[in-house]
Amino acid sequence: MKNTLTLTLLFILYFTASTLGQKNRYVRVFLKNGSVMKGTLLEEQPAVRLEMFDKSILTFLTDEVEKIENEKYVNPNIHYKQKGFVHYTELGPLAMSNRASNGVTTSAFSFQTTNGYKFNQWFYTGLGLGADLYAVQTFVPVVLSIRGDFIQTGDKLPFYFIEGGHGFNATSNDVDSVRFGGGPTMAAGIGLKILFSNNTGFTISAGYRFQRSSVQQLGIEKKEDFNRLTLRAGFSF
């Protein structure tokens, strides 16, 4: 489990750095013949070289160019979805120091898929089903998910999420005198959706997750609360 959590964290950090760390300069090139070309500036001297969106390369002599201006990059293949069906599939570690009644540190890994309907930029609701794999217990959360985007322009969309429901305890029990039970679960946080085609994109998010469970032994029931920092990566459309 430790190796899995470490690899997931490294993937999220690498993906975030590689995606957000790109510093391509997107420009408009004004030619002396009146034409205006937009593309990624690869070279300015001794000639101006532009990479177009279709990956073709255009080259202009410096005496053909009147001026070069920075331009906000807009991917023509990206179209923000105002409303309609939305799907999310995400996975990642549930990280935080927390010990069970037997002293075991309960590291965890989470997977969830959510389907629902988007009404507008600020409000999407859907039903989520997943699996939370703790070291000592396993839960199947069924949650109502609410999400919304803070902006609707560009290819990087920050969003919020709030979830609440019930986590059914699916822990395998080999001891007759011990019974495991589920309880309420909730989560909240923020994330970033990075679009690459239409409304399809990668997601990364961080937030807080709570899960309550019960352990009954020899007729005595004890409640246990799992409080976690949730880190997830996935995709949506």
Side-chain angles (χ1 to χ4, degrees), residues 112-221:
Q112 184 170 304
T113 182
T114 308
N115 295 288
Y117 189 85
K118 183 176 186 178
F119 293 90
N120 53 48
Q121 173 189 341
W122 294 99
F123 185 70
Y124 150 89
T125 185
L127 188 65
L129 177 66
D132 292 345
L133 310 176
Y134 292 83
V136 293
Q137 296 186 50
T138 299
F139 296 90
V140 178
V142 179
V143 299
L144 177 68
S145 179
I146 297 174
R147 301 193 183 210
D149 299 325
F150 291 111
I151 63 174
Q152 57 178 323
T153 58
D155 57 359
K156 297 178 180 65
L157 306 176
F159 65 86
Y160 75 89
F161 66 90
I162 302 171
E163 298 174 347
H166 187 87
F168 296 91
N169 203 315
T171 305
S172 177
N173 184 18
D174 298 326
V175 181
D176 292 337
S177 60
V178 179
R179 292 290 181 269
F180 294 99
T185 184
M186 63 84 62
I190 58 175
L192 185 68
K193 181 176 179 179
I194 304 164
L195 302 176
F196 59 83
S197 178
N198 289 322
N199 196 58
T200 302
F202 300 108
T203 63
I204 51 176
S205 64
Y208 165 77
R209 189 173 186 91
F210 167 83
Q211 173 67 61
R212 172 162 291 176
S213 73
S214 64
V215 179
Q216 189 177 83
Q217 187 171 14
L218 300 177
I220 300 174
E221 184 179 71

Side-chain angles (χ1 to χ4, degrees), residues 55-108:
K55 302 303 180 181
S56 62
I57 306 296
L58 299 182
T59 303
F60 306 100
L61 299 177
T62 53
D63 58 6
E64 296 179 291
V65 177
E66 181 177 340
K67 62 179 180 178
I68 300 175
E69 292 183 352
N70 290 336
E71 175 79 0
K72 184 177 180 180
Y73 176 75
V74 177
N75 186 336
N77 285 338
I78 290 176
H79 303 284
Y80 183 79
K81 179 184 284 188
Q82 295 287 348
K83 60 175 59 178
F85 173 80
V86 180
H87 169 89
Y88 285 86
T89 293
E90 299 162 303
L91 70 160
L94 298 172
M96 195 173 287
S97 176
N98 194 46
R99 293 183 179 275
S101 56
N102 59 4
V104 177
T105 300
T106 56
S107 57

